[in-house]
Amino acid sequence: MVISAIIYPISGHWIWGGGWLAQLGFHDFAGSTAVHMVGGVAAFVGAAILGPRIGKYGKDGKARAIPGHSLTLAALGGFILWMCWFGCNGGATTAMTTDGGMNAAAMVMVNTNIAAAMASTATMIVTWVRYKKPDVSMTLNGALAGLVAVTAGCDVVDPFGAAAIGLFAGVAVVFAVELIEKVLKVD
């Protein structure tokens, strides 16, 4: 309730409502910072306060995987998110008229898809090299990382820029998960 009632309106105003970040020239087209980073920081703080799940860390302090109950449902959820992101990012253009709005929305959606595809592919390759087999759940997280990463600038980058954003996000998510799980010990 606090996040929805207080934190999101403040951060949204800073970025979209003419607030101090907007006045500095900060650009966040559809919410990479205003929505996803704010939510991620709140989730991280909550997880740090609550502590790890029972069984996450052994007596030696090493992290243990706690797999989800259904990789199929996780994949379905990931693909549903991916499809819905087109509505979020494409719809953020707010004007699909013949004076360029439809072309802008189309480019936003192309960039969104390219970043997610590149990120999921990069994540799969990195996990394959690091762990000697591709990690499907991490690959799904890679797609989500690509979607979040491109959301801020999907209206101003070209497809090559979207691919670069996705590549970076897909590689970064693997190492970020390792850092958070193994070094910071936040689950």
Side-chain angles (χ1 to χ4, degrees):
M1 187 174 88
V2 171
I3 293 168
S4 295
I6 298 169
I7 296 173
Y8 274 129
I10 291 171
S11 68
H13 175 72
W14 286 352
I15 296 164
W16 293 325
W20 70 278
L21 285 174
Q23 290 174 10
L24 292 173
F26 189 83
H27 181 80
D28 186 352
F29 177 68
S32 280
T33 300
V35 177
H36 304 298
M37 190 203 74
V38 171
V41 168
F44 181 85
V45 170
I49 290 169
L50 287 174
R53 293 170 286 174
I54 296 170
K56 178 62 181 177
Y57 296 99
K59 292 183 183 195
D60 59 358
K62 284 192 172 187
R64 291 189 279 197
I66 301 178
H69 75 282
S70 174
L71 196 52
T72 303
L73 289 177
L76 178 62
F79 289 126
I80 289 171
L81 272 172
W82 192 330
M83 294 307 293
C84 291
W85 227 275
F86 296 127
C88 178
N89 284 1
T93 59
T94 68
M96 298 217 191
T97 60
T98 56
D99 63 346
M102 287 196 306
N103 290 339
M107 186 53 66
V108 162
M109 289 188 262
V110 165
N111 288 340
T112 298
N113 196 50
I114 288 172
M118 182 62 83
S120 59
T121 304
T123 301
M124 182 189 68
I125 291 168
V126 169
T127 59
W128 206 336
V129 169
R130 284 184 72 76
Y131 311 134
K132 308 300 182 231
K133 63 180 182 175
D135 185 330
V136 176
S137 63
M138 186 66 84
T139 300
L140 294 168
N141 281 330
L144 184 58
L147 291 166
V148 169
V150 79
T151 296
C154 60
D155 64 323
V156 294
V157 298
D158 63 10
F160 293 106
I165 290 168
L167 178 65
F168 179 80
V171 171
V173 74
V174 176
F175 296 102
V177 166
E178 289 180 4
L179 172 75
I180 291 167
E181 187 176 78
K182 294 177 182 175
V183 177
L184 301 177
K185 303 253 188 231
V186 175
D187 175 39

